[in-house]
Each structure stands twice: as C-alpha cells, then as structure tokens.
Amino acid sequence: MTDAVIYVLLVDDDLAHALLARRACFKNSPSCRLTHVTNGEACLKRLTSEHFDVVLLDYSLPYQNGLEVLAQIQKLESPPPVILVTGHGDERIAVEAMKLGAFDYLVKSVDLSHFEMMPWAIQRAVEQHRVQIERQRLEAQLIQSERFAAIGQLASHVAHEIRNPLSSIGLNMDLLADEIAYGPEINVPEAQELLRAIRIELERVNDIVSEYLAFARLPRFEFEMESLNTVIQAFCKFVEPQLHQAKVILKTDLDPNLPHTLLDPEQIHRILHNFLKNAIEAMAQGGEFAIETRVESDRIILRISDTGQGIPPSDLQRIYDPFFTTKKGGTGLGLPLAQEIIKQHQGTIRCDSVLGQGTQFTITHPIQDKETNGQREGEKVIN
Ligand code: ADP
Ligand code: MG
C-alpha cells in the first residue's frame, strides 16, 4: 500500500463495528486517517466542510438508511467514492447502491472477514477515483486547448479571407483619389464603376464576417410547433429573385400530410439558404433545384437536390469539416453549420452525389410534439 495519507469517513452507529473497522484499516495502512460519525446528517455535514478520500457507509443507520444518505452524497459537488457496507443477505441493497453510484460494497460476514477486505477496498476506491479525476481534468484541458486551436484557426481564416477584398477596396479608392486629384475633370462613369467595385467588395467582407460569426456563435434556438412545408414555402418565395438571376428552376414536391413538428423556422430557413447557395455555386450555367418533403413512419424526410457538378467521392467525407472548401473565396462553413442545426433538431443528414449529374442531401427529422418534447419548445440553446 502507498504511504499517502488516506482520509476515510466511516458512517456507522455500531460502535464495536466502527472500532474493528478502524483497527483493520490502521493495521494494513498506517497512513489511514479515520473519522467516525454515527448518522447520515453528521456524515453530510463533514463532507461539506472537510476533504475525505473515501466514505465507508453502513446501510443500517438511524433516521435514514445508507441508500438515502448515498443519494444525498451523490448530489454534492465532487463526491468522494462511497463503499456501502451491508448486512449478510442484503445483496439486493448492494445492487441498488451500485445503481445509485456507490463505488463498491462490502457484505458483513459472521466470521468478520469483511474487515480484512476493507483496507483493500478503500485503497482500490481511492486509486481509481484519483485516476478518474485526473482523466476528467485532462479531458477538460483537451477540450479547452481544442477550443483555443479552433479560435486561432477561425481568426486566421477570417483574416485571410478579408485581406483580398480589403486590398481591392484600397486599390479602387486610390484610383478614385487619382481621378479626383489629377483628372482635368472627373470621369463620372469611371468613378461610378470604381464605387460599384468598392461596394461589391464591401458586401463580400460583410458576407464573410456574417458567415464566420454565424458559425462561431451558434444561434439561439427557438423551437415552435410548425409545419416544415410552411417554412419551405416562405423560403421559396423569399429566394425567387435569386433563383431567377442564377437561372435556376425551383421544383417543390411537398407532402400535404406533413404533420407539424418542433422546429426553429429561422434556423431551417438558414440551412435551406446554405443548400441553395451551394447548389447555385455548383450550377454555373443554371439548372434545377428541388425540395421534397415526405413522412415516413415517425420521421419527416427532407430531400434537397440540384443538377450541378456533383461532389467527387474523395471529398464526400470532408464536406462537413469546418473550413473544407473547394471554392476560391469559400469559407467551408455552410455545411458544418447546417449539420449542427440539424443535430440540434435531433435530425440526421446524408449526402449522395454523382459527378457531373448532381447532388442530393437527405435530412431526416423525428416528428416531435409538445407532449413528448415539451421541454424543447421555447428552449434556448445558448452557445
Ligand atoms: P463553401 O460553400 O464555403 O465551400 P460549404 O460548407 O457550404 O462551404 O461546402 C463545402 C464544400 O462542399 C464546397 O466547397 C463544395 O466542394 C462541396 N459542396 C457542398 N454542396 C455542394 C453541392 N450542392 N454541389 C457540389 N458541391 C457541393
Ligand atoms: Mg457553402
């Protein structure tokens, strides 16, 4: 056994038993410091004010039994491991204790052999608990460092993306300044052309910043009972001019029997927009963009397809990776954001694509109502 001091809290109203426990622990592990209390209330009081490495908790206690005390210990902020000591034939209680989060149990035996097991059970509980705490600490550290790495990556992508439009704006402004300073008189059409170029680049900077922000600060979700068809119809109306300009024909095939379900219309609109943007970008010469809804048992199926250039099989695995893009000036954030929003709706997404023919995204969404998922309506997920 190691020499590190082990602080044990023994909860037992049987004084003889407590004495034997103390003796057994000390004999095998002189570095054991045992504190003895006789009931659950005293146990909880000590645990909230002092550090203990392990609790040896007897089942039969006055006022509250060991399981009740165990349940309260588990509610503490960082509970120490608990070993429940039950009477002979009380195995069912031991099972219950394990379910409640006890680390281990010892069954009292008439020949008192459980006292021999006690120091080993204590040692095992302390060691495993330390390993578990260390693992949790490392995991938290990893998440934190991954978060920092992601922030760094995001910042450098934003900087990179913005630099081009900014330098183009600077160049156009210099030309405009020359025009004003040196020209005998200002060439109005040329100046207007330069201003138009500046406006386009500014819009591009704005788009980049909005897209990155949307990704970095995941939206607040506000779920409500709504029909997906209604959201799609509103979306289609909204994007009519955009479709016309891109020479894209929109086809919808919406299931009239689609039930209302819990969804966030604004976020659904956002992902539809991301899909459409990608489709338009994949159909340089125009093409077809189709939205279809179906009900299949307890799920709603949403299919979004285009007749664009398609995605090579080698890229299919990577399209949801943040920053993965095959486009000049792409951010690689549209699909990861769509995937996250679908996840928040408890849905799944799948992509099928044939090079040169087109791409289809299939989204499944479980039908949820207020009764089964009451807690989600109006729920706000703040990130
Ligand atoms: P971005 O559009 O900024 O590149 P996305 O996350 O929206 O980022 O898409 C990632 C990549 O997935 C795209 O660069 C493209 O290669 C591919 N992709 C997504 N949607 C389509 C589509 N409808 N057709 C062809 N390729 C697509
Ligand atoms: Mg995109």
Side-chain angles (χ1 to χ4, degrees), residues 211 274 277-278 281 327 334-335:
E211 206 162 323
N274 282 359
K277 194 162 171 268
N278 281 342
E281 286 160 357
K327 298 169 195 165
L335 287 181

Side-chain angles (χ1 to χ4, degrees), residues 257-272:
N257 299 318
L258 213 66
H260 280 49
T261 185
L262 271 182
L263 52 82
D264 180 335
E266 204 182 313
Q267 302 312 327
I268 299 290
H269 182 100
R270 180 185 284 209
I271 58 174
L272 289 171

